[in-house]
Amino acid sequence: MTSPAVAPLRTALSGLAATFALAMPACAEAPSYCGADESIIFSCDLGSHTASVCASRDSGPGEASLQYRFGHLDKVLVNYPPEGTPPGAVFSSGIISYPAGASIWLRFTREAVRNTVFIAVGDWIPGRVDLIGGIVAETEGKPPEVMACRGKPTYDMHMTFFREIGITEGGEFELPAEVIPKK
């Protein structure tokens, strides 16, 4: 029997990657800045901060709302994009398959910083399947800042959903080496 927590990733990651996703156990939800009237697309405990991507529950073509929120404890420090902004105007997405598993990501640029929210599943350590996630913040001329989730992220990231709300696939993403589990 497949865990309900795995179904969204399995749907998004077909083929070989689905095999890895089937082995993932259910996990407790990470803290989130999403409201009761929103769906959690991604949420991650970063230690002293929390990052969330929230969607309005009635999202569909022309009526979608998608927001990235980042904060400390109970205070949201970043809420992007401004309310009413169509998701396709500011976000892009992608999916990557690789020998050890697969990753799905969502990207936006705010104040000259390119932010990529990601989840990945893989068997980097033989005999064990891991679910990881985090955020990569890139500023021109500086090394990328990688913020890995502490524990498992909460997610409901789907390429089908992203397409339905006008987010296009584009760009490249490489899973940061520092978030990949090691023996």
Side-chain angles (χ1 to χ4, degrees), residues 12 16 28 49 58 80 98 149 153 165 175 183:
L16 179 60
H49 291 80
D58 59 348
Y80 183 82
Y98 38 88
C149 297
I165 63 171
L175 199 57
K183 291 182 185 179

Side-chain angles (χ1 to χ4, degrees), residues 73-84:
L73 302 174
D74 293 332
K75 184 176 181 180
V76 175
L77 304 171
V78 174
N79 193 6
Y80 183 82
E83 214 166 300

Side-chain angles (χ1 to χ4, degrees), residues 10 18 27 32-33 35 38 76 82 85 90 93 115-116 118 128 130 142 152 168 171 180:
R10 188 183 67 200
C27 55
S32 172
Y33 288 123
E38 296 175 308
V76 175
T85 304
V90 294
S93 63
N115 296 276
T116 305
F118 68 91
R128 186 176 102 187
D130 289 293
K142 296 182 179 178
K152 306 219 181 316
T168 58
I180 296 173

Side-chain angles (χ1 to χ4, degrees), residues 73-121:
L73 302 174
D74 293 332
K75 184 176 181 180
V76 175
L77 304 171
V78 174
N79 193 6
Y80 183 82
E83 214 166 300
T85 304
V90 294
F91 292 101
S92 63
S93 63
I95 189 167
I96 305 162
S97 291
Y98 38 88
S103 178
I104 185 169
W105 54 267
L106 182 68
R107 177 177 290 148
F108 64 94
T109 300
R110 177 182 173 272
E111 297 177 1
V113 178
R114 184 171 85 163
N115 296 276
T116 305
V117 172
F118 68 91
I119 58 168
V121 63

